[in-house]
Amino acid sequence: TNISPSVSVILLAGGTGSRMGKSSLPKQFLQLINKPVALYSYDLFASLKEVAEIIVVCAPSYRSPFPSRSGLSVRGVEM
């Protein structure tokens, strides 16, 4: 069957990670195997053919890890 994208994903990446201790980055942006933790969820959702858009909720200064993808609407929303 041919499924057209119709799902919107809201990826919450806006926490400060204050309970993480002395890290200068929020925990969702710490590197795990050379990739920010939040990007693992982003990449998974971006790979699903049902997903038409991903709305990333985070501070503007942290939007750069989330790339635009062909055929997928990606937009940031401030917290």
Side-chain angles (χ1 to χ4, degrees):
T1 79
N2 195 7
I3 299 173
S4 63
S6 61
V7 174
S8 294
V9 172
I10 300 174
L11 181 60
L12 303 176
T16 61
S18 60
R19 293 177 290 178
M20 266 307 269
K22 299 182 182 198
S23 175
S24 62
L25 287 173
K27 63 183 171 240
Q28 64 273 26
F29 296 104
L30 293 175
Q31 297 288 310
L32 178 65
I33 311 173
N34 299 317
K35 185 172 167 179
V37 171
L39 203 51
Y40 284 92
S41 295
Y42 176 88
D43 287 343
L44 174 68
F45 289 125
S47 73
L48 299 174
K49 61 185 170 200
E50 298 85 2
V51 174
E53 73 173 334
I54 300 175
I55 301 165
V56 179
V57 180
C58 67
S61 59
Y62 291 111
R63 286 205 190 117
S64 63
F66 304 103
S68 296
R69 302 274 171 99
S70 178
L72 179 68
S73 173
V74 178
R75 59 189 172 111
V77 175
E78 285 188 51
M79 4 172 249

